[in-house]
Amino acid sequence: MAEKNNRLVDISWKEFDKLGPNERAPYFNDNGRVFHALLAQQFDRPALDRLCDLATNIRKIAKSKEGMQFLQSLLNHKRVMFYFTQPSSRTYLSFCAACKILGMAAADVRDAATSSEMKGESQEDSVRTFSSYFDMIVMRSKTSGLAEKMAWVLANSERPIPIINAGSAQDQHPTQALLDVYTLERSFEHLGGVDGKSILFVGDLKRGRTVRSLSILLTKFREVTQFFVAPKRFQLKPDSQKILKEAGVTFELSGNFERYVPKADAIYMTRVQDEWDKKPGQSRKSDIVKYHFKVRHLRLLRPHAILMHPFPRREEIEVDVDHDPRAMYWRQMRNGMWVRVALIATIFQCDTEVLAYYRKHLG
Ligand code: NCD
């Protein structure tokens, strides 16, 4: 089992709860290495570069049967628990696949109605129960900050196992942002990487947690411009704007989709997050159709630019756009599996073993 994370033990929940995300982030790392993966703020540029390189090495190792057997031997003594009480297909399945690649045994709770929470058990007690049987928890929740609270609870228990945030409320989705960065890095491999690029975010930027996390990770790159195009009611929240201002990032907010398409190196489309509507149907009021990417927009898109989407998609990108080589969302999904393998390998400190295998057999 991983060692106790002393920093989280040294602070009361009350004190910790008062901290902003920048101050919280180091508490989830251990000696500069990610332990709990809960916030995008935990990843600095060297950590991002290391994760992307590791994901690429793993991807190449996994191409052969011997390589796959090596990967499966790394964590076949560990067990993972998936605690997904909010809908998920891609994130859940890519984590399942990633853990399987590393040989981990898995179990899940996907519906709080099937767990003892229905008998009145607190979420704290539920998570402590999971930690009795497993070595890592991957969780998605509609409760803001729950994964952070659990990390603190576990740090102060006998089994301080790592927690990965697979999507928390409207706040953050850090592993999606990692796969988005990996996709950008791979796509611009021969164009100097992410540095110096312009990224255009479109859709529900207010409630989309993938946008919030990716926007933070992009601040770790040099001279990246961020454009946010959405109807006013879905524009980026002030706290996210503040992060960009403090990081000295050039960014613009606008309602004019077609004007920004030709300016972007990458366009990140998102769906309306109407599950958060206070009154059903409330989101339908906005004229979102003019923020949809249609086949006719392809001619406005720069030749090297890429089109991304965390999915699920509704009408944000016309299906016929999928044939264009700049449509990157299917590859983006597969990248998610590799980057999650890399993240878990890093958390369990077997990254050096992977690199040694790569050098010996493929380097
Ligand atoms: C996203 C999410 O759950 O935040 N999906 C995902 O994990 N790929 C985006 C969304 O639901 O719109």
Side-chain angles (χ1 to χ4, degrees), residues 90-91 140 173 176 209-210 271 273 275 310-312:
R90 268 148 294 271
T91 306
R140 167 171 287 202
H173 193 345
Q176 175 71 40
R209 55 195 175 192
T210 67
R271 73 175 171 91
Q273 310 279 312
E275 63 271 39
F311 269 45

Side-chain angles (χ1 to χ4, degrees), residues 65-300:
K65 185 167 178 170
E66 295 73 33
M68 197 53 112
Q69 277 165 346
F70 159 74
L71 292 170
Q72 281 167 353
S73 74
L74 289 172
L75 292 176
N76 60 11
H77 56 308
K78 299 286 183 192
R79 295 174 302 278
V80 55
M81 165 81 208
F82 298 114
Y83 182 40
F84 275 59
T85 52
Q86 233 194 349
S88 175
S89 319
R90 268 148 294 271
T91 306
Y92 172 77
L93 288 173
S94 76
F95 265 114
C96 285
C99 290
K100 212 161 174 83
I101 288 170
L102 288 165
M104 299 176 91
D108 61 22
V109 167
R110 296 203 62 181
D111 181 357
T114 65
S115 87
S116 283
E117 277 172 46
M118 286 309 278
K119 299 182 191 163
E121 182 169 68
S122 69
Q123 284 174 313
E124 281 92 336
D125 282 2
S126 293
V127 172
R128 274 196 75 162
T129 305
F130 304 154
S131 78
S132 312
Y133 308 130
F134 295 93
D135 303 292
M136 177 172 82
I137 298 171
V138 182
M139 66 185 277
R140 167 171 287 202
S141 169
K142 62 175 189 312
T143 310
S144 176
L146 183 66
E148 293 174 54
K149 178 75 191 281
M150 295 311 155
W152 185 87
V153 168
L154 292 185
N156 289 281
S157 78
E158 286 311 304
R159 297 253 324 150
I161 64 171
I163 299 186
I164 298 183
N165 174 4
S168 63
Q170 300 174 26
D171 306 337
Q172 284 234 15
H173 193 345
T175 65
Q176 175 71 40
L178 292 174
L179 78 90
D180 294 334
V181 159
Y182 184 46
T183 302
L184 289 163
E185 277 289 49
R186 285 189 72 191
S187 303
F188 301 135
E189 200 179 350
H190 304 295
L191 296 167
V194 182
D195 291 325
K197 302 294 182 291
S198 297
I199 317 296
L200 164 58
F201 293 94
V202 184
D204 189 343
L205 314 178
K206 184 177 178 187
R207 302 175 293 185
R209 55 195 175 192
T210 67
V211 173
R212 289 166 65 79
S213 289
L214 179 56
S215 163
I216 294 166
L217 285 194
L218 291 175
T219 66
K220 314 287 174 181
F221 292 84
R222 278 187 300 280
E223 286 167 41
V224 169
T225 303
Q226 302 191 31
F227 301 128
F228 300 92
V229 169
K232 265 209 176 78
R233 52 198 279 124
F234 293 148
Q235 253 309 350
L236 195 69
K237 279 187 196 163
D239 64 332
S240 293
Q241 293 184 39
K242 188 166 165 251
I243 291 172
L244 298 178
K245 277 186 204 137
E246 283 172 1
V249 168
T250 309
F251 71 99
E252 293 173 30
L253 311 183
S254 170
N256 191 335
F257 177 54
E258 295 196 352
R259 207 179 94 192
Y260 279 85
V261 171
K263 296 184 182 205
D265 298 298
I267 304 186
Y268 194 93
M269 303 295 296
T270 64
R271 73 175 171 91
V272 172
Q273 310 279 312
D274 47 13
E275 63 271 39
W276 299 105
D277 282 359
K278 294 212 173 72
K279 285 189 218 122
Q282 194 180 24
S283 293
R284 260 181 255 136
K285 276 189 229 150
S286 27
D287 178 13
I288 197 73
V289 181
K290 65 179 189 209
Y291 299 88
H292 288 172
F293 196 102
K294 304 278 190 196
V295 171
R296 69 184 154 83
H297 291 120
L298 283 170
R299 65 184 166 77
L300 298 177

